[in-house]
Amino acid sequence: MTATGRVRAEFDAAWNSFLRRRTAVFFTFFFPVILVLIFGALVQTQPTGGGLFAEPQTYYVPGYLATVVLFTPLSRVGSEIARHREGSRFEKLATTPLSRTEWLLAQTLVNVVIIGLAALLILALMVVVTGAEIPLTPGLLLLVPFVVLGVVVFCGLGTILGSVADSQDGVIAASNTIALPLLFLSETFVTPELLPEWFGPIVNLSPLTYFSRGVRALTYEGGWELYQAHMTVWFNLAVLAALAVVFFAAGAYAIPRTD
């Protein structure tokens, strides 16, 4: 069997495993939906009102997309690694031609499909429920590589967490500990003006920052003007691509050969 065939077979197995967990399927898509409904439709934004959610609805599209790009890979891949370790499945996989890189690639592709569907759902809800006006331009197609690369980054990080945590509970705890600060401190929901000046350089250390800046430049009407002077969409895409390579390689290396 070729490498492509091995990846495809592992992808099919991982995809079917996801579909069999109906609770996981439900909450994977329910979580971003309820987030949009609460903050987008109920709380709503207050343009020029000051404070949190003081920008137009479209400004927060990167934040809503970030919830699935960040949380889903961290928890799903990390938990999958932990389950494999607890069931001694990596010892069995070591006897097959499937390499660690191929295994992680298949898991990442499954997450790309899942999160891609969730992202489409979020965008549709933003337009229908909140009235967000996303500019329909050819550049909007760049959302695809941004989402894909973001998923790759956090699949790699989730793999590392799953490899060092001692249990599935440990993976979930570590994922939430990392994801919650990143979600609000990566220019997603909290604007840079609301953060202390000294915190600005720290924001640049978050991979999610480059995702949110790039997505905002594509989906927010003032996005190009907001970032074009010093952070173009291409720069953010390039940084995210470089981080995706680094995190994927680190994740593949971190996968245990034995349990």
Side-chain angles (χ1 to χ4, degrees), residues 193-241:
E193 293 77 15
L194 296 179
L195 297 173
E197 186 176 349
W198 59 265
F199 196 81
I202 299 178
V203 171
N204 294 326
L205 298 178
S206 168
L208 195 64
T209 297
Y210 302 97
F211 172 84
S212 61
R213 286 173 177 168
V215 171
R216 182 166 293 118
L218 296 172
T219 59
Y220 182 48
E221 188 175 358
W224 284 98
E225 290 75 13
L226 187 64
Y227 294 120
Q228 196 171 23
H230 59 289
M231 291 288 182
T232 66
V233 63
W234 297 107
F235 174 82
N236 290 296
L237 188 61
V239 172
L240 199 60

Side-chain angles (χ1 to χ4, degrees), residues 11-257:
F11 173 91
D12 291 340
W15 176 254
N16 291 329
S17 176
F18 169 71
L19 293 180
R20 283 195 296 270
R21 301 189 182 101
R22 296 181 180 179
T23 303
V25 174
F26 176 78
F27 282 103
T28 295
F29 295 98
F30 178 75
F31 177 66
V33 168
I34 197 65
L35 198 68
V36 172
L37 292 178
I38 291 175
F39 291 103
L42 297 181
V43 176
Q44 299 187 354
T45 60
Q46 301 293 331
T48 71
L52 194 62
F53 291 100
E55 302 292 336
Q57 289 282 8
T58 318
Y59 182 90
Y60 299 102
V61 169
Y64 294 117
L65 292 179
T67 58
V68 289
V69 170
L70 173 63
F71 279 91
T72 304
L74 283 182
S75 60
R76 287 200 72 256
V77 178
S79 297
E80 193 69 19
I81 292 281
R83 280 194 294 269
H84 274 55
R85 292 174 61 193
E86 292 172 0
S88 300
R89 294 185 62 183
F90 283 117
E91 290 185 353
K92 299 173 183 177
L93 284 176
T95 64
T96 70
L98 186 71
S99 68
R100 293 182 293 177
T101 300
E102 293 167 349
W103 184 89
L104 181 56
L105 177 59
Q107 298 294 328
T108 301
L109 290 174
V110 170
N111 279 275
V112 166
V113 174
I114 294 170
I115 295 165
L117 294 173
L120 288 174
L121 178 60
I122 289 173
L123 291 174
L125 283 173
M126 287 293 295
V127 173
V128 175
V129 177
T130 72
E133 297 180 358
I134 299 175
L136 297 177
T137 64
L140 197 61
L141 293 175
L142 287 174
L143 277 179
V144 175
F146 268 107
V147 170
V148 170
L149 292 173
V151 172
V152 174
V153 168
F154 293 108
C155 278
L157 182 56
T159 302
I160 296 171
L161 293 179
S163 299
V164 299
D166 56 1
S167 65
Q168 291 188 52
D169 290 338
V171 171
I172 299 300
S175 298
N176 290 335
T177 301
I178 292 174
L180 282 174
L182 287 182
L183 180 62
F184 290 99
L185 301 177
S186 301
E187 296 190 11
T188 48
F189 294 106
V190 180
T191 59
E193 293 77 15
L194 296 179
L195 297 173
E197 186 176 349
W198 59 265
F199 196 81
I202 299 178
V203 171
N204 294 326
L205 298 178
S206 168
L208 195 64
T209 297
Y210 302 97
F211 172 84
S212 61
R213 286 173 177 168
V215 171
R216 182 166 293 118
L218 296 172
T219 59
Y220 182 48
E221 188 175 358
W224 284 98
E225 290 75 13
L226 187 64
Y227 294 120
Q228 196 171 23
H230 59 289
M231 291 288 182
T232 66
V233 63
W234 297 107
F235 174 82
N236 290 296
L237 188 61
V239 172
L240 199 60
L243 291 172
V245 172
V246 171
F247 276 94
F248 184 87
Y253 180 80
I255 295 175
R257 294 182 181 275

